[in-house]
Amino acid sequence: MKNDKLLLAYYGDDFTGSTDAMEFLTLAGVKTILFLRKPNQKDVDRFSGIQAIGLAGKSRSMSPMEMDTELYSAFENLKSFAPNHFHYKVCSTFDSAPHVGNIGKAIEIGSEVFNQKTVLVSPSAPHLGRFCVFGNLFARMGTIGNGEIYRIDRHPSMIKHPVTPALEGDLTLHLAKQTEKSINLVNLTTIEKGTSAVLEAVENNNAEILFFDGFNLEHLKTIGSVFNQLTTDKTLFSVGSSGIEMALGLAWEDEKIIGNEAIFESAGEVSPILVLSGSCSPVTSSQIEYALENGFLEIALESKAVDIQRQEAIIKNTVARIVDNFNQGKSTILHTSTGSSDPRIAETEAYFRSKGISENDIQKQCSTLYGSVLGRITKEVLKAVPLKRILFAGGDTSSYAASELEILALEMIAPIAPGAPLCKAVSDNEWVNRIEMNFKGGQVGTADYFIKVLKGEKL
């Protein structure tokens, strides 16, 4: 691969969001590989014809100090491949706070690494039911279907997010709490006028962060065209949802930079499957309930699993139960909660408080330890049974769970739901290589989502 042919590199702030970005690039006809560790040239050269690369990260669950350590290194690594664009990919609901997943901190780091005075931020993802109007973010309940659309600070699920509850609808105000950089907005009235008007607004801007409104694909195409025209002899740094991949894809197609959209056939049924859920979203809760009514078995991971001294026994017992279920041909859901009112949440938080963990760090500990335990359980299951397909539910925990599996990279093999493709693992370990994996955020999918993943069917 020649670096001058790399259209884009991106860092995803969690694993589910990283596969989301890969999907929209791949569907646009851009050959994309998602790495789960910082790649070197030898890693990239294992894949022919690459036009974009991603790095699945965990910064959404990190403190600003941890982000310093993580992002400077990751950004420099991806910058070394000289992409035309570099995208710091965040959740389409802009999950972040000053103390965790601080998007302002990521912008400050990216601005320095890429030597860019003004960082471009495009949050909207209309294909996922996410709309930005006069700086305010609106989100559908779920990512597909006809769910109600709410301003993000009134969204029934996002206002109850366990780590970063949505407290402000205006993203310029939300981000202002995370950075001292000046912020401006290219609002809908300018976006509606088209590329020339937006370029003029960018040229006349003096702020260090510039947001872009958008609520339909035509707006995204305009934004993509503007971003593409702003690339010169150095990489253009931007921040936002997978709407940026969609926007660039539309612009590249219009400008004949890429060819036709990719076409995928159904992946087909693989049964049984393993579902690992660290999500407490009501959407995921309804999916668990539906799957249990349709032949899946469940194992509720004890809250004691976060106790280091009890982990080994819990892991051993849980692995034995999953293997027994699989030997009977039964798909199994291993979950840490079945919604925000699950008593295990309060039990876990009480445990961490008893250990002197601060309130700001409790959810980080939950994501890290539950995710690690889920990953270790999965590793042992994979060594015991010929599992072919795994579903990870929940952005924060899935990042830590997948990190236990020694995966080099993921390739998309089929669409399931917008933002959550079915992927194939690439690994030097034979017990994980070529296993099919699906990563879904808490808000993704309809009630029958787990059934669709089992059958390999597109929603």
Side-chain angles (χ1 to χ4, degrees), residues 87-403:
H87 173 207
Y88 180 71
K89 197 278 176 189
V90 301
C91 183
S92 61
T93 46
F94 226 69
D95 303 5
S96 56
H99 68 284
V100 61
N102 187 315
I103 296 173
K105 182 66 175 177
I107 288 173
E108 291 166 5
I109 295 170
S111 177
E112 181 178 341
V113 170
F114 293 95
N115 189 28
Q116 188 169 312
K117 178 184 176 182
T118 300
V119 174
L120 311 178
V121 182
S122 181
S124 58
H127 49 292
L128 298 176
R130 311 297 189 240
F131 315 94
C132 195
V133 180
F134 296 102
N136 286 271
L137 182 63
F138 294 80
R140 181 187 296 132
M141 191 66 178
T143 55
I144 59 176
N146 297 314
E148 289 290 326
I149 295 172
Y150 302 88
R151 199 174 69 191
I152 197 67
D153 56 341
R154 297 178 181 177
H155 191 282
S157 179
M158 292 310 303
I159 60 176
K160 297 179 181 178
H161 192 286
V163 182
T164 50
L167 304 176
E168 172 60 62
D170 187 330
L171 294 187
T172 64
L173 298 179
H174 175 65
L175 191 62
K177 298 175 183 178
Q178 302 175 31
T179 180
E180 294 183 356
K181 285 184 173 291
S182 56
I183 301 172
N184 206 343
L185 168 70
V186 180
N187 71 38
L188 203 59
T189 61
T190 302
I191 301 288
E192 281 277 288
K193 294 176 183 177
T195 302
S196 297
V198 177
L199 278 170
E200 182 179 354
V202 173
E203 291 170 359
N204 293 331
N205 168 70
N206 292 315
E208 296 165 291
I209 298 172
L210 187 58
F211 271 89
F212 294 80
D213 272 347
F215 72 77
N216 60 37
L217 294 185
E218 193 62 34
H219 296 154
L220 285 192
K221 184 177 177 180
T222 296
I223 292 167
S225 178
V226 168
F227 282 20
N228 222 30
Q229 291 187 47
L230 291 173
T231 56
T232 53
D233 57 344
K234 68 175 186 177
T235 300
L236 182 74
F237 173 55
S238 62
V239 175
S241 68
S242 62
I244 287 182
E245 278 72 27
M246 177 70 82
L248 289 172
L250 291 169
W252 289 333
E253 183 179 9
D254 190 55
E255 297 164 24
K256 310 300 182 186
I257 294 172
I258 59 175
N260 297 327
E261 294 182 3
I263 298 175
F264 292 90
E265 296 181 358
S266 170
E269 183 169 346
V270 170
S271 181
I273 67 169
L274 175 62
V275 178
L276 304 164
S277 176
S279 170
C280 58
S281 161
V283 174
T284 305
S285 178
S286 68
Q287 291 163 350
I288 292 173
E289 182 180 358
Y290 187 94
L292 295 178
E293 293 171 352
N294 286 273
F296 280 62
L297 299 181
E298 69 176 325
I299 297 175
L301 186 64
E302 300 176 62
S303 59
K304 297 182 181 67
V306 297
D307 186 338
I308 302 297
Q309 296 181 351
R310 303 189 187 194
Q311 278 182 7
E312 291 303 324
I314 291 173
I315 289 173
K316 183 177 180 180
N317 176 61
T318 305
V319 169
R321 293 176 63 188
I322 293 173
V323 170
D324 183 56
N325 288 349
F326 272 68
N327 287 336
Q328 297 178 50
K330 295 291 186 179
S331 293
T332 302
I333 304 168
L334 175 62
H335 55 71
T336 61
S337 77
T338 53
S340 58
S341 61
D342 192 306
R344 285 174 291 172
I345 296 175
E347 291 169 5
T348 303
E349 292 174 348
Y351 169 80
F352 285 126
R353 290 190 189 97
S354 74
K355 298 297 181 181
I357 305 296
S358 70
E359 291 296 324
N360 281 344
D361 290 336
I362 284 177
Q363 294 302 329
K364 167 68 183 301
Q365 291 293 320
C366 287
S367 299
T368 303
L369 290 177
Y370 273 127
S372 175
V373 170
L374 290 173
R376 289 164 62 191
I377 289 169
T378 305
K379 182 187 291 188
E380 295 307 313
V381 170
L382 288 173
K383 292 177 180 179
V385 294
L387 185 62
K388 294 184 178 180
R389 187 174 294 169
I390 303 173
L391 192 167
F392 297 84
D396 295 334
T397 51
S398 69
S399 298
Y400 291 95
S403 295

Side-chain angles (χ1 to χ4, degrees), residues 41-114:
Q41 190 64 51
K42 185 178 178 181
D43 293 327
V44 173
D45 288 342
R46 290 177 62 165
F47 307 91
S48 62
I50 296 180
Q51 296 170 288
I53 59 174
L55 176 59
K58 309 183 186 77
S59 58
R60 196 174 95 178
S61 61
M62 291 181 176
S63 68
M65 185 177 298
E66 291 170 321
M67 292 174 76
D68 263 333
T69 302
E70 166 80 3
L71 295 185
Y72 273 109
S73 174
F75 287 7
E76 290 286 3
N77 170 254
L78 294 172
K79 180 185 176 184
S80 71
F81 294 97
N84 290 338
H85 295 268
F86 178 82
H87 173 207
Y88 180 71
K89 197 278 176 189
V90 301
C91 183
S92 61
T93 46
F94 226 69
D95 303 5
S96 56
H99 68 284
V100 61
N102 187 315
I103 296 173
K105 182 66 175 177
I107 288 173
E108 291 166 5
I109 295 170
S111 177
E112 181 178 341
V113 170
F114 293 95

